[in-house]
Amino acid sequence: MYRTATFYYFSGTGNTKALAEAAGEALSQQGTAITLRDVANHHEYCPAALIGVFFPVYCFGAPRIIVNFVRSLPPGEGKAAIVVANAAGTAGPAHAAVARALSQKGYHVKLADWVRMPNNYIVFSEADVDSKAAGIVAAGRAKVAELLAALGDAPSTLPHYSRFGPLALAHRMFLFGLNYMGRHYRANDACTGCGACVTMCPTQCIALDSDARPRWKAGCEHCMRCVNFCPEAAIEFGRFTKGKKRYTYWMDKTKGALRHESCS
Ligand SMILES: Cc1cc2nc3c(=O)[nH]c(=O)nc-3n(C[C@H](O)[C@H](O)[C@H](O)COP(=O)(O)O)c2cc1C
Ligand code: SF4
Ligand code: SF4
């Protein structure tokens, strides 16, 4: 159906990456050549007959890095696009907002939907334990494969979106709050100074100071990777994460998957 497709994604703790891969597998079975792109690693546009934008929902909207990526895309000129968000409970208007932004750029949005995935947000809620996460991930991957398999028949109607709705406003406040996020992280006494947080941060906004303690700089997306994947569970976000179980389902797999892929 599509000769080539490029799926762009941002993933804090691995869920979105798993969905982008499942979508890629589903389309490649139909003969499409797939390129997967982590927008945290490279921003350049890779031409293809179909583009996909995959992201975790952050406060009922897309992560800032995805919002900026969509803004940076060239005019769509009728090219086909899909939007797949994922959330632990409520996506709100997240997928509709990105679909509308793509449509305004001239993309023909064929699919805009969201899929439930495990919860990684341990600031205001509890993480899903690995055994429960496994079931949710399997169902999420199956749902995405189903959506992709039905792509040819899908009526391409844009979901309704109002930028003045209460959830859209909450998301705008979240984006504003990102400017102040860095100051709330700290490493507790369990920190060994191993530096894993520095290398795993997708936006390179952690540095070790002279006494091997992590310091947070500007640019944090609040993705929760460092908090959930620190091997000592030593990173706290204010008082909110103290004593809480971390979301570790993809812990080892995702760190190794942060690699640069060149545009072919
Ligand atoms: C900052 C932040 C905000 C979140 N906001 C929402 C939300 O509004 N609704 C929801 O259902 N899940 C929310 N979540 C949960 C994530 O969307 C969900 O766990 C997602 O699968 C994480 O994907 P990832 O592993 O690719 O980062 C939030 C997570 C983070 C880190
Ligand atoms: S990953 Fe954890 S233990 Fe290692 S330096 Fe960072 S905060 Fe410390
Ligand atoms: S500092 Fe932590 S939460 Fe912020 S972007 Fe880096 S890994 Fe994600």
Side-chain angles (χ1 to χ4, degrees):
M1 177 183 22
Y2 296 102
R3 207 170 50 80
T4 53
T6 304
F7 290 167
Y8 300 94
Y9 68 90
F10 176 70
S11 187
T13 56
N15 294 343
T16 310
K17 182 171 186 291
L19 291 180
E21 285 169 354
E25 282 158 25
L27 264 199
S28 62
Q29 279 168 18
Q30 299 175 27
T32 305
I34 307 288
T35 304
L36 287 187
R37 290 278 155 126
D38 180 346
V39 300
N41 284 352
H42 35 71
H43 306 274
E44 77 270 29
Y45 175 68
C46 184
L50 170 73
I51 70 155
V53 182
F54 292 73
F55 60 90
V57 172
Y58 287 177
C59 195
F60 314 114
R64 174 180 56 190
I65 193 169
I66 287 286
V67 172
N68 290 339
F69 171 74
V70 169
R71 280 192 191 131
S72 76
L73 282 171
E77 295 168 341
K79 192 184 289 281
I82 61 169
V83 177
V84 180
N86 72 96
T90 315
H95 52 299
V98 172
R100 192 166 90 154
L102 284 168
S103 172
Q104 285 174 340
K105 291 201 83 139
Y107 289 86
H108 180 204
V109 180
K110 296 280 297 171
L111 163 73
D113 210 335
W114 74 280
V115 171
R116 182 172 173 235
M117 285 296 264
N119 186 31
N120 72 349
Y121 198 47
I122 63 167
V123 172
F124 295 131
S125 50
E126 300 290 330
D128 282 319
V129 295
D130 288 2
S131 52
K132 183 178 174 197
I136 301 173
V137 166
R141 286 173 57 94
K143 168 92 190 286
V144 128
E146 221 173 83
L147 290 173
L148 269 289
L151 195 56
D153 318 320
S156 36
T157 45
L158 277 183
H160 170 75
Y161 174 71
S162 161
R163 63 191 300 269
F164 300 109
L167 297 183
L169 291 174
H171 179 246
R172 280 213 285 289
M173 284 174 65
F174 167 79
L175 293 180
F176 177 75
L178 281 181
N179 299 317
Y180 307 96
M181 224 48 110
R183 64 178 68 161
H184 300 293
Y185 297 91
R186 66 175 188 85
N188 65 29
D189 290 344
C191 172
T192 59
C194 71
C197 50
V198 175
T199 49
M200 75 172 90
C201 173
T203 60
Q204 288 99 49
C205 70
I206 310 177
L208 288 191
D209 66 13
S210 52
D211 57 353
R213 303 290 290 189
R215 293 277 174 265
W216 279 261
K217 304 178 285 180
C220 173
E221 290 287 331
H222 203 38
C223 76
M224 290 284 122
R225 186 183 296 171
C226 59
V227 175
N228 284 310
F229 290 180
C230 162
E232 310 301 330
I235 301 178
E236 307 288 6
F237 183 75
R239 288 177 291 108
F240 300 101
T241 52
K242 262 195 173 158
K244 284 188 177 168
K245 187 211 167 299
R246 270 48 180 165
Y247 176 61
T248 51
Y249 186 72
W250 300 103
M251 185 161 164
D252 297 324
K253 307 173 188 92
T254 304
K255 276 186 290 182
L258 288 173
R259 60 184 186 274
H260 183 81
E261 294 151 12
S262 60
C263 192
S264 52

